[in-house]
Amino acid sequence: MAIAEKQSGVLPEGVREPYDWALDQMRIPEAHAITQGSPDVIVAVIDLGYRFHPDHEGHLWVNPRPTRGDIHGWDFAEEDATLEYEGMRSDATYQRGHHAFVVGEVAVTAPKCPIMVLRVGYEPHHQKSWPRAIRYAVDHGAKVLIMPHGYITLDHTDGVPLFYKGTDFNYPYDNIGLIEAMDYAYQSGSLIFKGTADNRGRRVATVNAGLDSVFAVGSTNRHGRAANIAASADYAEAATPGGERHTDDPTDSIWGTGGDHDYIPFQGGCMASAFGGGVAALAFSQYPHLSNREIREILRNTSQGTGWDPLLGHGIFDAYRAVSLKPEELSPGLRIDREASQVRHENGQLVAEIVVENTGVYDVSRMLTVAFNGDPKTAPDSGGTREEANILIRRQIGHCIAVATGLERVRVSLELDGDAQSDEVWVQVNPLDLGMAGVYDSARIF
């Protein structure tokens, strides 16, 4: 849950503009020179209680076929079209400010993408609001769904969320329809974004963020490092700004639109989820012919990082890199680095170290690497016929299956068979994934 403080409409000293350093960190200004989004790419923000801010003018989705007054979205918690939440709960101000803040993040990141506003709730009778909001978003054309908050299992005795009673995140067994709706969204071609961050001392592991249907986003601070709210998650894919907590420096927070025509600071994984969705909207706009799986891999593999870690995934989103890929980078490709690859002896065993570069942005999830005692593309003996085949001369002397992440290099190590005591060692790499026919490389490394 993100944290906010009530402030006036004036930004503090050191903060140049709403969302300020976060936009620079993701290279949003550079990306906007290529695309600011498309009216055809709808972003749904599913949160707890919106209130309009002047900066949102012109950014809200307009339903072309409203049936019940759902012009800009719908409140699935209270079943009405009044998006400006007027509830009197003690956290009403927080809910309005939070929802408005997230909408503002999308508006400034992907300014030409319409924003659909949908509200869900945490009361016992709000359980079905979550899956219904997701299905509404998908059925009304949303390509990106931002869900900053996660559904929390209720105590069946009194309806109070277990989160508020001191229980850590657990499987939402009382709302299976939510998981099914999230699967439906992904299978329909949409992407869901949720942040991963420490939440009142609770662990980050949660089904809501860990599902295959969700792009899990880590949280950074303004220095481009893991924020102090960042938490380890095995399923984090990449990261965006979340802000730093427990600091007196206002520039450590992210400042943006609040729910009372003001600007307020926030810090949290919720902020990261919204920025992730905004950059995804730019990518969907730039590559309308690509699937959600391909967009997902583009976002992850163009991120600013070297390898993967559980706090920031593959690195910080790079919006400019994501929307400026060359045509050849949008196709799969494998290349053996002949200079970096070698054959060496290790404890009496001959070992081949092969460095393979994936020159395309898409992952090769199963890359078969095979070593031969000669060139596998040429016959070692011209005398063999169909009627009288020669004894196998060119043979495999080692193999393995590895992953080759898009736009990265992978090092593959093979223990070679005893038959490897030849004058040369050749290697061939081939993807085994669907849709990658004709992608291979072979090279002599010894």
Side-chain angles (χ1 to χ4, degrees), residues 56 75 79 84 118 218 232 242 245-246 282 294 358 376 428 437:
H56 302 167
D75 183 337
E79 288 298 333
E84 295 199 356
L118 305 172
S232 176
R245 204 166 288 168
H246 309 304
L282 293 179
E294 291 169 320
N358 185 346
Q428 189 173 77

Side-chain angles (χ1 to χ4, degrees), residues 104-375:
E105 288 181 82
V106 180
V108 75
T109 304
K112 293 188 177 179
C113 294
I115 304 169
M116 180 188 298
V117 179
L118 305 172
R119 182 181 169 239
V120 294
Y122 279 139
E123 300 298 329
H125 63 286
H126 292 160
Q127 281 178 284
K128 293 183 179 179
S129 67
W130 295 74
R132 292 179 60 216
I134 293 171
R135 291 181 180 274
Y136 177 97
V138 174
D139 293 343
H140 286 78
K143 295 296 291 183
V144 177
L145 282 67
I146 297 169
M147 299 182 65
H149 287 90
Y151 176 80
I152 305 170
T153 304
L154 302 179
D155 186 329
H156 70 278
T157 62
D158 58 13
V160 176
L162 296 180
F163 178 92
Y164 295 103
K165 292 191 169 189
T167 296
D168 211 338
F169 293 116
N170 61 351
Y171 186 81
Y173 60 86
D174 59 336
N175 202 347
I176 303 304
L178 168 61
I179 309 298
E180 294 172 341
M182 295 170 85
D183 289 347
Y184 170 72
Y186 193 77
Q187 291 161 357
S188 299
S190 302
L191 268 181
I192 301 173
F193 286 82
K194 293 190 70 63
T196 64
D198 174 69
N199 197 327
R200 300 186 187 180
R202 289 164 168 81
R203 290 173 54 81
V204 71
T206 166
V207 170
N208 287 285
L211 291 167
D212 282 347
S213 57
V214 173
F215 193 116
V217 188
S219 301
T220 66
N221 60 25
R222 66 186 176 94
H223 304 293
R225 298 188 291 271
N228 60 10
I229 59 171
S232 176
D234 295 341
Y235 43 81
E237 294 189 53
T240 62
E244 199 100 280
R245 204 166 288 168
H246 309 304
T247 170
D248 295 328
D249 186 344
T251 63
D252 285 333
S253 296
I254 301 171
W255 288 75
T257 56
D260 294 296
H261 293 198
D262 52 15
Y263 294 111
I264 58 176
F266 261 107
Q267 319 90 33
C270 298
M271 290 54 258
S273 66
F275 282 132
V279 177
L282 293 179
F284 271 117
S285 300
Q286 182 69 0
Y287 313 113
H289 59 291
L290 298 184
S291 68
N292 57 345
R293 178 191 63 80
E294 291 169 320
I295 295 295
R296 184 179 202 158
E297 293 189 8
I298 285 173
L299 296 174
R300 184 177 66 225
N301 296 338
T302 57
S303 61
Q304 307 168 57
T306 55
W308 179 89
D309 76 66
L311 295 177
L312 303 182
H314 287 271
I316 303 171
F317 272 37
D318 187 334
Y320 173 73
R321 184 79 177 93
V323 300
S324 62
L325 293 167
K326 300 178 178 65
E328 58 268 25
E329 292 176 313
L330 289 169
S331 301
L334 295 175
R335 186 186 70 82
I336 298 171
D337 188 330
R338 292 153 174 78
E339 299 298 323
S341 301
Q342 61 176 322
V343 175
R344 58 182 173 78
H345 287 275
E346 185 177 289
N347 299 324
Q349 173 70 50
L350 204 59
V351 177
E353 293 283 353
I354 306 111
V355 177
V356 182
E357 180 182 5
N358 185 346
T359 60
V361 74
Y362 304 127
D363 292 347
V364 175
S365 60
R366 296 176 65 226
M367 178 184 69
L368 177 63
T369 303
V370 183
F372 295 86
N373 64 351
D375 186 350

Side-chain angles (χ1 to χ4, degrees), residues 346-426:
E346 185 177 289
N347 299 324
Q349 173 70 50
L350 204 59
V351 177
E353 293 283 353
I354 306 111
V355 177
V356 182
E357 180 182 5
N358 185 346
T359 60
V361 74
Y362 304 127
D363 292 347
V364 175
S365 60
R366 296 176 65 226
M367 178 184 69
L368 177 63
T369 303
V370 183
F372 295 86
N373 64 351
D375 186 350
K377 300 195 303 264
T378 62
D381 188 335
S382 59
T385 66
R386 291 179 185 271
E387 292 76 21
E388 188 173 350
N390 284 333
I391 296 174
L392 187 63
I393 301 172
R394 182 83 72 246
R395 66 179 68 242
Q396 296 181 21
I397 54 177
H399 78 277
C400 73
I401 293 178
V403 176
T405 303
L407 300 178
E408 291 189 3
R409 292 158 64 88
V410 60
R411 185 176 296 273
V412 178
S413 181
L414 294 181
E415 288 191 356
L416 303 181
D417 296 343
D419 292 342
Q421 307 301 326
S422 62
D423 293 334
E424 52 191 272
V425 174
W426 287 70

